[in-house]
Amino acid sequence: MDGKVTLVEYDYMMEEYVRSTTGCPEPSDEEFAAQFKLDSRIVNREAELNKKLPDAVPKSWLTDHGGREYCLVATPNKVDPSDRTKQRMDISLFDKDDVPEAGEPANYAAIELSAECKPAEEADDPFDDNARNYQATSDRRRANFGQIISYAALVFAKQQRTHYLTVLFLGAMARIVRWDRGGAIVTKKFNYTEEPGKLARFFWHFVHLSKAQRGHDTSVAHVLSLSDDYRLMRARADNPRLKGDGDVKHAIGEHARHLFKESLKSNVPWYRIRVGGKQDGRDFLVGAPHFISPGLVGRGTRGYVAIDCSDPQGPFVYLKDAWRVAHESIEQEGSILAYLNDEKTGKVERVPTLVCHGDVDEQKTVSQDAWKMHHPDATDCPVKFHRHYRLVVKEVGLPMSQFESAEQLVYLLARCISAHGQAYKKGVIHRDISAGNVLIIVTERVVDGQLSQERDGILTDWELSTRVDAPEQPRQPDRTGTWQFMSAYTLNFPTVVIRVPDEIEAFFNVLLFSALRFLRHNCPDVSSFMHKYFEGFNKVEGEYCCGETKWNAINRGQIEFKGSKGIIFYIPSDPSDDSSEPPQTHPITFLIQDLLDKFSARYQLDPESAKAFVKAAPVTPPTPATKSSAYFSFFDSKGSNASKRRARKTGLTVIQEQELKEAAETLEDHDAVVDVFGSFITDPALDWPVKDTVPDQLRKDFRPGKDESVTPALSGTGSKRGLSHDGDPDSAPASKRRLTRSGRR
């Protein structure tokens, strides 16, 4: 959320975002003030304020022009049972029909707005009117900032939302905050005990707003119990699709059906969602999201297994709902897929097959407009412009974590690298390789009465891809990619053009990520290493760059643990074998080391990559390889003989340097990289076990966001992200979790 807060006057907030257009006569300030009954002596006592503030707001303020009533309810002790974080909002506004009864839990899916009460005007204020980014710096105030962000993010997760409003009470003072996927717009503080008309006017106008103006996504419709849509969804969830001749039938697409059935179990609304325009769009039926990106600012991606209403008995499809970055250099993902799918220009294999796509009406963020309005002299706006967007593809994939053996993992990733190469030859580079974007697809055929299933890799999420030959133009702010899997080079140079070797390094990071979790090895603490390698970072002169652990591994060509000089994977021993023989080294060890050697060669020969980290440099004394790379920066400026001098200075011969170049050049060629993968699979001297996976070794309670060293915010990353300190979903690793709520209409 850093830099994404805009401070505005109360009148600006009301005029631009909370102005009712119903034409109903508005009470005067005097009338509002006369009805507001709150003992000002309790404003610094949080518990009493929570209890008495809702009763101080008269019902007339909370009744719309049609007579529909809303109610402010104290909810500090009410938890939505579907919320695993067990958050408690102090005060919530509900439609009268949705107010929880005494003893009932809160229902965050029905909240219209929320209020947070804090006793201290300054010490509890998460905003600072005098700070450069309007964000306070003390631990207490930053904690409060994180708290109100998490509440807003929770409502976005539980509802179909375009924006959301929060009232923040700070003793006798108050602020109004408007949240959207771009950032936050917050008013300056006002004294609601001295100017109750301001608070009253806000509530009065809010309840008179239309549903869309209050922040609801009106492009979706609830599926009502016992409706035709409801019956169709239940039937498709409960009954397999059968394929075959005669009496022999086989259930196909079962993994998709099971995912769809699971989405109907949780107590969340079911929806009919339109993709495309109002006239030419297509409707799809969905339950709970199969995937939801946590946090508030960013794309807010949701993934659904869906029924295509135009083919209700056909295969399930995958629907992606996101707030895409509306930047001139970024094409719509559906347009990219249409191009990659086009057989006339050479179809790219193993990428999703487009069904339909399009922006959702005129739903877009406005935080960037407010920021620009209040920073007229600024040349760069840190608040991104997002548009609501939906995409449907045919394939419903499995996560790569469901690979059945290390050999299969290597094969599947090689297939995805091949797909990346095909797309690159066609003029498109992906730019967001991550564990969440390489999936497994299962192709099913019935041959001679028998069901055949074949696994293959598929490279998904082309949202951040770009044309290779695209002309130079202003880039979107921040980095492009997923922090954990980005190359060390792109982490050190956030505005650098992403090249093929960077993408290959990202594929390697996916390989390492998967192998560390599900294969046996000598890493003593998987969670700790994962945090240091994938989440780690350095901060230099206010800019984030590659963390020490990843940098050392890639630059030196060796992954080290305490007490070990390199990573070794093992073949699981036979449980019945009681011998004391040491475990056998797994073949994947040699592939990973070979790739590390090639990355190390690249960095040794690239002086700029080393120079960036030398500037950051809170690292242990470098090995000779790191040291020689740093010297390259000096000798490269010396003219045509620099390479010879560099070879002498570092102890490398010209022949050795040529070998490094050949190793590094492999990373420029997709086919060569695939051959590297294949050479270890096909080597007759290497025995790849059929069964070698183990249960996930990453601690279930591992939450990197709780550590002090939190992954820096990435507004330019893909859709599958974790939480940074501010809950930005574009900040950190994938945290795929289900969305649940209480009650379905």
Side-chain angles (χ1 to χ4, degrees):
M1 186 65 81
D2 290 344
K4 303 182 191 303
V5 174
T6 304
L7 185 70
V8 302
E9 299 288 346
Y10 169 88
D11 289 340
Y12 180 90
M13 173 72 78
M14 294 300 300
E15 190 62 35
E16 293 293 325
Y17 310 119
V18 199
R19 179 62 61 183
S20 168
T21 57
T22 60
C24 293
E26 180 181 348
S28 66
D29 283 349
E30 291 75 16
E31 291 175 287
F32 278 132
Q35 298 178 63
F36 185 64
K37 306 296 184 184
L38 181 69
D39 185 349
S40 61
R41 293 174 298 179
I42 71 167
V43 298
N44 300 116
R45 300 196 289 268
E46 183 176 347
E48 286 191 66
L49 187 60
N50 289 343
K51 182 178 180 180
K52 295 186 177 181
L53 184 63
D55 294 332
V57 179
K59 291 183 179 180
S60 60
W61 296 10
L62 303 176
T63 303
D64 71 11
H65 57 284
R68 191 172 191 83
E69 294 183 22
Y70 295 83
C71 298
L72 277 174
V73 180
T75 52
N77 299 313
K78 291 182 180 293
V79 175
D80 188 327
S82 69
D83 173 33
R84 289 182 293 179
T85 64
K86 306 303 179 186
Q87 298 182 77
R88 295 172 171 83
M89 301 181 188
D90 286 342
I91 298 173
S92 306
L93 180 73
F94 294 95
D95 183 297
K96 185 179 180 180
D97 294 339
D98 294 323
V99 173
E101 299 290 340
E104 285 187 346
N107 180 2
Y108 294 159
I111 287 176
E112 291 289 341
L113 67 78
S114 58
E116 181 65 18
C117 301
K118 299 294 181 185
E121 175 183 336
E122 293 294 334
D124 282 318
D125 191 354
F127 302 101
D128 185 341
D129 294 10
N130 299 314
R132 183 175 61 87
N133 290 329
Y134 308 119
Q135 291 173 235
T137 56
S138 75
D139 290 344
R140 176 174 169 180
R141 296 172 73 175
R142 283 176 60 81
N144 289 342
F145 186 49
Q147 183 183 33
I148 61 172
I149 289 175
S150 66
Y151 290 164
L154 183 60
V155 173
F156 270 85
K158 297 296 184 183
Q159 302 181 21
Q160 303 282 346
R161 278 275 177 178
T162 60
H163 59 274
Y164 183 67
L165 285 143
T166 299
V167 183
L168 178 61
F169 293 100
L170 303 160
M173 307 298 286
R175 295 184 188 270
I176 298 167
V177 188
R178 185 192 187 277
W179 312 92
D180 66 21
R181 292 295 184 184
I185 304 170
V186 56
T187 65
K188 295 179 180 179
K189 285 185 283 194
F190 59 90
N191 191 313
Y192 63 93
T193 63
E194 296 177 357
E195 297 181 283
K198 287 187 173 181
L199 184 62
R201 180 165 287 104
F202 167 75
F203 281 120
W204 188 91
H205 276 280
F206 181 85
V207 300
H208 283 79
L209 296 175
S210 67
K211 192 172 183 179
Q213 290 172 322
R214 294 199 306 274
H216 294 282
D217 177 3
T218 55
S219 69
V220 302
H222 284 270
V223 172
L224 302 178
S225 298
L226 305 182
S227 65
D228 290 343
D229 285 347
Y230 177 92
R231 284 189 283 268
L232 172 63
M233 294 174 75
R234 278 261 57 102
R236 288 302 314 275
D238 295 336
N239 299 292
R241 289 182 68 236
L242 300 177
K243 186 176 182 179
D245 298 324
D247 296 332
V248 180
K249 303 286 186 181
H250 295 277
I252 60 172
E254 282 294 89
H255 70 286
R257 183 179 71 85
H258 288 309
L259 288 172
F260 184 76
K261 186 172 185 176
E262 186 69 21
S263 75
L264 305 188
K265 288 181 179 178
S266 53
N267 203 13
V268 302
W270 304 353
Y271 292 105
R272 174 181 279 256
I273 296 180
R274 169 144 294 210
V275 179
K278 293 181 179 178
Q279 302 302 321
D280 57 353
R282 291 168 66 170
D283 286 354
F284 298 84
L285 298 173
V286 302
H290 168 61
F291 163 82
I292 182 166
S293 176
L296 177 63
V297 173
R299 282 180 260 295
T301 305
R302 305 173 195 237
Y304 300 90
V305 179
I307 296 173
D308 184 349
C309 292
S310 66
D311 185 16
Q313 300 302 324
F316 289 102
V317 295
Y318 198 78
L319 189 155
K320 176 180 175 180
D321 181 296
W323 286 78
R324 69 179 182 88
V325 178
H327 190 271
E328 57 186 350
S329 68
I330 303 178
E331 292 184 64
Q332 291 182 353
E333 184 177 2
S335 299
I336 290 289
L337 288 180
Y339 174 66
L340 297 179
N341 293 162
D342 187 6
E343 295 185 0
K344 295 180 180 178
T345 56
K347 182 179 180 180
V348 175
E349 298 176 343
R350 295 179 293 282
V351 300
T353 306
L354 178 68
V355 175
C356 59
H357 73 115
D359 287 331
V360 181
D361 303 331
E362 291 299 314
Q363 295 180 10
K364 51 193 175 185
T365 58
V366 300
S367 290
Q368 72 284 345
D369 296 332
W371 194 96
K372 292 175 183 177
M373 175 73 71
H374 290 80
H375 299 80
D377 298 328
T379 55
D380 295 316
C381 176
V383 185
K384 287 187 179 181
F385 174 30
H386 293 262
R387 293 201 64 157
H388 199 180
Y389 175 75
R390 294 190 180 117
L391 166 79
V392 180
V393 297
K394 287 184 178 180
E395 293 80 7
V396 180
L398 298 171
M400 190 58 69
S401 59
Q402 293 190 22
F403 67 89
E404 297 169 322
S405 68
E407 185 178 28
Q408 185 182 87
L409 171 66
V410 171
Y411 168 76
L412 294 172
L413 288 178
R415 297 282 281 177
C416 290
I417 292 171
S418 175
H420 189 281
Q422 293 178 44
Y424 187 76
K425 289 176 182 177
K426 197 169 181 178
V428 177
I429 187 166
H430 189 281
R431 303 198 306 170
D432 189 20
I433 304 302
S434 71
N437 293 342
V438 289
L439 303 179
I440 302 170
I441 53 171
V442 181
T443 302
E444 297 176 312
R445 299 181 180 89
V446 176
V447 181
D448 297 330
Q450 299 296 315
L451 178 64
S452 166
Q453 295 181 322
E454 294 182 4
R455 288 187 163 204
D456 206 347
I458 184 170
L459 182 55
T460 68
D461 202 349
W462 291 79
E463 184 176 354
L464 296 183
S465 63
T466 189
R467 306 282 176 157
V468 174
D469 59 354
E472 290 294 326
Q473 52 188 312
R475 290 170 56 85
Q476 60 169 322
D478 303 313
R479 291 173 170 86
T480 299
T482 302
W483 181 275
Q484 293 77 357
F485 303 97
M486 291 166 66
S487 73
Y489 190 79
T490 52
L491 291 177
N492 281 341
F493 293 95
T495 60
V496 75
V497 174
I498 295 175
R499 297 169 50 228
V500 171
D502 298 306
E503 299 279 74
I504 300 303
E505 190 175 323
F507 275 113
F508 166 80
N509 288 329
V510 174
L511 174 66
L512 180 65
F513 179 82
S514 303
L516 281 168
R517 291 180 64 187
F518 299 104
L519 300 177
R520 282 193 62 196
H521 47 70
N522 64 334
C523 177
D525 188 338
V526 174
S527 296
S528 176
F529 177 80
M530 293 289 243
H531 177 74
K532 292 175 182 177
Y533 185 96
F534 292 100
E535 309 279 345
F537 67 93
N538 279 299
K539 193 172 185 181
V540 179
E541 297 174 1
E543 293 184 3
Y544 294 103
C545 61
C546 184
E548 176 183 346
T549 301
K550 178 185 284 188
W551 170 258
N552 287 340
I554 297 298
N555 187 46
R556 300 174 183 177
Q558 189 167 6
I559 294 174
E560 298 179 349
F561 311 120
K562 187 175 181 180
S564 173
K565 292 186 177 180
I567 186 169
I568 303 174
F569 289 87
Y570 300 121
I571 295 175
S573 57
D574 188 332
S576 62
D577 184 2
D578 57 359
S579 68
S580 58
E581 292 293 322
Q584 289 182 277
T585 300
H586 197 294
I588 200 171
T589 303
F590 309 118
L591 170 60
I592 287 175
Q593 187 57 57
D594 187 84
L595 292 170
L596 282 169
D597 291 341
K598 290 176 171 54
F599 297 130
S600 177
R602 177 197 179 195
Y603 284 84
Q604 288 185 64
L605 295 170
D606 188 339
E608 288 300 313
S609 65
K611 186 171 64 177
F613 198 79
V614 168
K615 180 181 72 172
V619 295
T620 54
T623 63
T626 306
K627 196 171 185 179
S628 65
S629 293
Y631 282 135
F632 290 173
S633 177
F634 171 75
F635 288 118
D636 256 8
S637 63
K638 303 303 181 183
S640 59
N641 292 323
S643 63
K644 293 182 180 179
R645 285 196 295 272
R646 183 165 62 224
R648 286 197 299 270
K649 185 70 176 179
T650 62
L652 293 173
T653 66
V654 173
I655 294 176
Q656 288 172 330
E657 187 167 358
Q658 181 59 34
E659 291 174 349
L660 289 178
K661 287 181 179 178
E662 292 175 359
E665 286 171 358
T666 302
L667 304 175
E668 301 276 357
D669 186 336
H670 291 87
D671 292 336
V673 174
V674 171
D675 286 345
V676 170
F677 278 59
S679 68
F680 286 89
I681 293 292
T682 59
D683 188 339
L686 297 177
D687 183 17
W688 289 78
V690 176
K691 295 182 179 180
D692 53 6
T693 59
V694 297
D696 193 352
Q697 298 167 98
L698 189 64
R699 292 198 320 264
K700 288 183 171 58
D701 63 343
F702 178 61
R703 295 290 184 272
K706 292 182 179 180
D707 194 282
E708 291 179 359
S709 304
V710 182
T711 304
L714 283 180
S715 296
T717 91
S719 61
K720 303 171 181 67
R721 313 291 176 261
L723 285 170
S724 71
H725 72 276
D726 59 6
D728 187 338
D730 291 332
S731 302
S735 176
K736 298 185 178 181
R737 64 190 190 198
R738 296 198 178 279
L739 177 67
T740 57
R741 63 151 283 201
S742 175
R744 181 176 70 247
R745 294 182 182 181

